[in-house]
Amino acid sequence: MLLTFALLVGVVSSCSESPSTQALEGPMKDASAAARTTAMAVELRLKGHTTAAAGSTAADDMLKQVDSATKDVQGTSASNGDDQDLRDDVLAAFATISRALIHARDALAAPQGGPEEGRIGSDPSHLMPVLDELHRASDQLDALMTKAGIQ
C-alpha cells in the first residue's frame, strides 16, 4: 500500500514538475545540441562537404528535437515568480532557435538555380546569414544556461 502511494505521488509530481534548473537542464541541452548540429550541417554545406538535401533533412530532424524539448518545458509549472521567469526565458530561447532552424532548413532546401543546385560543390553562399542566426540563437541559450548554472 505504501509503495503504491509512493508510485502515485511520483507519477503526479512528474506530470507537473517545477521548472527548476534540474527539470530544465535536459531540454535546454537538447535544444543547444540541435542548434549546434544544424550549424554544423550549414557549415558542411558551405564547405561543399554535403548536399542540400542532407543538410535540410538534418535541420528538419533538429527542429523536431527542439519541438520535443519545448513540449517538455511547457509541461512544467512554476511555483514562484523566479521559476516562471526562467521558464518563460527558456521558452523564448527555444522559439528563437526554432525560427533559426526553420530558416536553415528552408535555406538549405531552397533552389538557387542551375543544374548543379543541391549537389556538393554548388554555391551555398546564401547560407551565411542563416549560420549567423544559428550562432546568435545558440549564444542566447548558452547565456541562459550559464545564468541558470547549467554547463
Side-chain angles (χ1 to χ4, degrees), residues 36-88:
R36 293 183 195 292
T37 299
T38 304
M40 189 177 353
V42 171
E43 288 169 357
L44 288 171
R45 181 72 185 114
L46 282 165
K47 293 177 182 177
H49 296 298
T50 191
T51 64
S56 176
T57 299
D60 195 49
D61 290 346
M62 294 303 101
L63 183 58
K64 291 174 186 169
Q65 185 170 322
V66 174
D67 286 344
S68 177
T70 300
K71 288 176 185 168
D72 289 346
V73 172
Q74 289 172 334
T76 64
S77 62
S79 60
N80 61 49
D82 290 339
D83 284 350
Q84 184 64 44
D85 290 345
L86 177 59
R87 182 179 179 271
D88 291 346

Side-chain angles (χ1 to χ4, degrees), residues 89-113:
D89 289 346
V90 169
L91 290 172
F94 286 5
T96 300
I97 289 173
S98 291
R99 276 190 304 277
L101 294 176
I102 289 168
H103 294 156
R105 180 196 62 198
D106 293 348
L108 284 162
Q112 296 299 309

Side-chain angles (χ1 to χ4, degrees), residues 4-17:
T4 303
F5 177 74
L7 287 173
L8 285 174
V9 169
V11 168
V12 169
S13 67
S14 70
C15 291
S16 107
E17 292 181 24

